Amino acid sequence: MKLAARVDRVTPSLTLSVTAKALGMKAEGIDVCSFSAGEPDFDTPAHIKAAAQQALDEGKTRYGPAAGEPLLREAIARKLQQDNQLNYTAENVIVTNGGKHSLYNMMMALIEPGDEVIIPVPYWVSYPEMVKLAGGTPVLVQTTAATGYKITPAQLRQAVTPQTKLFVLNSPSNPTGMVYTPAEISALAEVVVEQDILVVSDEIYEKILYQGAEHLSIGAVSHEAFVRTIVSNGFAKAYSMTGWRVGYLAGAVELIKACSKLQGHSTSNVCTFAQYGAIAALSESQDCVERMRLAFSQRREVMLERINAIPGLSCVVKPTGAFYLFVDISKTGLNSREFSNSLLESQQVAVIPGIAFGADDHIRLSYATDMTTIEKGMDRLEKFMRSLK
Ligand code: PLP
């Protein structure tokens, strides 16, 4: 069978394949410590499940508007106004099948051959692939631990060419866990405005912050930045709703209409009763978000301390957001795939090779898992490192 050339242009998602491999080993009865999945280990809060159950009971089981339930679009617009100081209304919002789908829709609606999209490295695994699927060119900008894996305003300015259409900003970041300060966001906003490019701000981890870190949406910096900003977000991480597949995109009405048009011929609306769970997530108490954040915070401390105590490994940039540690393995002399495969085979510990994020001398560990697994996994990692000598 001759497949379309676009399939060859993209690389399969390594995060999904490592997670699937670890799950497969577990199913075979192997005692695997998995730090691979980017998903909270908590069950979805009861009040959110109850709202979806009620929607099911009330017969909210039918097709709905492609852009989302009007009540949910309104709730999201209110959230963006109140939490992020972004002056959106329901018309500026489309409900999508997760944050991944909102970014995909946006790339498909905006990017065409010849367009360049600036992506800081390390990046979330799907950004460059989505740009390529849309026919555009990813322009990867290398960052270093010295700048906390953050792109500087000078680097951004230097990467802009007449073909630049979009800059992808992800704070808090997957995979590094770093969070741009409000001052850093303002400085990047200045470049976006000065160079007259668009910016998509992936804010899916905005609620998962530590040590006083603050999240500022780039669109809140100024009116000039706001009109060039597109926000992507979702319910998966903050509300432990990964399998529900509810996310959203907010931006200019013409972009949202374009995404609705694409969605109308691809997925249609997001699962109707799942959207009612999302309405409850936004409109009821936010205590569940804080409870999960506190648990992540304790796990982060334990994992960081253990990793930094293992000779040959280091996590120099202390992450202040999301639930990942990005660990430097360069002293081992192994590349990230060799390291991860060998660790999984010899110690049954699953981590994601940094190559998936454009950094082959790192691995990513998620601490969205229970403390027993963390302690056991760190013992095994220590043993693995000793075995390399
Ligand atoms: N953006 C980032 C940075 C992510 O880490 C993820 C998920 O891992 C997503 C977007 C997409 O999330 P979802 O499609 O589950 O809402």
Side-chain angles (χ1 to χ4, degrees):
M1 190 190 304
K2 187 181 177 307
L3 297 176
R6 78 175 68 86
V7 181
D8 280 338
R9 281 201 296 266
V10 296
T11 321
S13 167
L14 251 183
T15 51
L16 295 185
S17 62
V18 175
T19 306
K21 190 169 172 188
L23 280 175
M25 287 170 73
K26 273 189 188 167
E28 283 172 31
I30 301 170
D31 175 24
V32 179
C33 291
S34 185
F35 302 111
S36 53
E39 90 175 312
D41 55 321
F42 302 104
D43 195 8
T44 302
H47 68 281
I48 299 176
K49 292 203 289 189
Q53 265 150 11
Q54 190 186 335
L56 266 174
D57 291 343
E58 287 171 358
K60 296 202 167 75
T61 56
R62 314 190 72 84
Y63 288 138
E69 289 294 298
L71 280 177
L72 180 54
R73 293 175 76 192
E74 280 162 25
I76 292 167
R78 257 196 317 277
K79 177 256 175 234
L80 290 165
Q81 287 175 19
Q82 286 164 9
D83 290 3
N84 308 109
Q85 290 73 54
L86 298 170
N87 196 16
Y88 290 126
T89 66
E91 260 199 326
N92 298 103
V93 174
I94 178 172
V95 182
T96 58
N97 288 279
K100 192 177 265 184
H101 186 222
S102 75
L103 291 160
Y104 181 79
N105 274 342
M106 180 272 308
M107 295 287 184
M108 285 299 172
L110 270 184
I111 303 303
E112 52 192 356
D115 289 340
E116 292 180 355
V117 178
I118 298 173
I119 304 174
V121 185
Y123 45 73
W124 178 52
V125 61
S126 297
Y127 299 141
E129 307 309 318
M130 287 177 180
V131 172
K132 287 189 260 172
L133 277 171
T137 308
V139 174
L140 304 179
V141 177
Q142 198 64 50
T143 69
T144 63
T147 60
Y149 303 114
K150 294 171 182 175
I151 189 171
T152 63
Q155 279 183 307
L156 178 59
R157 190 175 289 112
Q158 209 175 8
V160 174
T161 74
Q163 282 71 50
T164 304
K165 183 92 178 246
L166 180 69
F167 161 47
V168 180
L169 178 65
N170 174 216
S171 177
S173 150
N174 176 5
T176 66
M178 63 78 186
V179 181
Y180 286 86
T181 64
E184 288 164 344
I185 292 285
S186 299
L188 290 173
E190 258 180 52
V191 181
V192 165
V193 172
E194 161 204 301
Q195 300 293 322
D196 195 17
I197 58 174
L198 294 169
V199 56
V200 61
S201 182
D202 181 349
E203 306 187 356
I204 196 136
Y205 296 100
E206 69 166 326
K207 300 287 181 198
I208 308 175
L209 299 167
Y210 317 104
Q211 288 190 315
E214 246 181 88
H215 170 75
L216 175 67
S217 182
I218 191 162
V221 171
S222 64
H223 176 73
E224 290 73 21
F226 178 67
V227 295
R228 291 169 178 82
T229 296
I230 303 151
V231 176
S232 176
N233 206 332
F235 294 83
K237 316 290 180 177
Y239 300 98
S240 202
M241 290 172 68
T242 45
W244 292 60
R245 311 309 303 135
V246 193
Y248 55 90
L249 190 76
V253 172
E254 63 178 326
L255 172 67
I256 299 306
K257 280 194 174 150
C259 291
S260 293
K261 197 158 131 188
L262 296 182
Q263 199 154 290
H265 286 297
S266 50
T267 60
S268 294
N269 63 283
V270 171
C271 170
T272 306
F273 49 88
Q275 293 188 62
Y276 282 84
I279 292 171
L282 287 183
S283 53
E284 295 183 26
S285 163
Q286 300 299 297
D287 290 354
C288 56
V289 180
E290 180 60 6
R291 261 198 312 278
M292 290 189 263
R293 190 194 68 80
L294 283 173
F296 294 142
S297 176
Q298 285 171 355
R299 298 161 180 193
R300 165 181 167 274
E301 291 294 341
V302 171
M303 212 177 194
L304 252 177
E305 205 178 305
R306 293 288 310 264
I307 295 268
N308 280 329
I310 300 176
L313 295 183
S314 63
C315 186
V316 280
V317 181
K318 199 172 177 184
T320 51
F323 36 64
Y324 306 105
L325 295 189
F326 207 49
V327 179
D328 188 333
I329 57 161
S330 55
K331 286 200 180 127
T332 65
L334 298 177
N335 69 35
S336 63
R337 268 183 211 264
E338 290 165 348
F339 186 101
S340 308
N341 285 336
S342 186
L343 179 62
L344 186 58
E345 274 157 30
S346 67
Q347 296 293 335
Q348 295 76 51
V349 173
V351 301
I352 307 288
I355 187 78
F357 315 102
D360 207 12
D361 52 358
H362 282 71
I363 52 166
R364 188 198 76 179
L365 287 89
S366 158
Y367 49 87
T369 189
D370 62 278
M371 209 63 111
T372 313
T373 305
I374 291 177
E375 294 284 12
K376 190 158 73 176
M378 293 303 103
D379 289 346
R380 292 182 186 184
L381 183 56
E382 214 173 298
K383 209 158 136 200
F384 174 72
M385 289 299 291
R386 273 201 305 270
S387 76
L388 292 183
K389 285 186 186 147

